[in-house]
Amino acid sequence: TSTAQEQASLPEGRSLRDAVQSLEHRLVQDALQRHQGNWASAGRELQMDRANLIRLAKRLGLYEARKRGAAPN
């Protein structure tokens, strides 16, 4: 069994910033899928204002992919 400290460690060569960005990307993408691309509904689930969610999605590269109709990464 591993300790909580071992479970919380980052993979070698990966920064905290990268790990947080990856988690944010996955959470936003999953919420948008659950809400069929409805930004306001996804924002409510994530407890974010729609405008802030779109701003975050732009930073993560999700907004343009959804706008073009492409499947996000």
Side-chain angles (χ1 to χ4, degrees):
T1 64
S2 59
T3 66
Q5 185 178 13
E6 290 170 342
Q7 291 174 354
S9 66
L10 292 170
E12 191 170 327
R14 189 155 184 209
S15 70
L16 176 60
R17 181 180 305 242
D18 290 341
V20 169
Q21 187 171 1
S22 178
L23 177 61
E24 288 174 332
H25 188 279
R26 191 170 59 245
L27 290 171
V28 171
Q29 183 177 345
D30 290 351
L32 285 167
Q33 286 176 349
R34 277 191 297 280
H35 295 281
Q36 293 80 41
N38 185 305
W39 293 93
S41 295
R44 279 191 293 275
E45 177 185 326
L46 296 169
Q47 299 180 8
M48 296 180 74
D49 180 73
R50 177 185 157 276
N52 289 333
L53 176 58
I54 290 173
R55 194 174 3 265
L56 174 61
K58 284 179 180 179
R59 185 172 59 79
L60 298 172
L62 289 170
Y63 184 75
E64 291 300 319
R66 288 227 169 237
K67 196 169 143 184
R68 288 190 311 265
N73 300 344

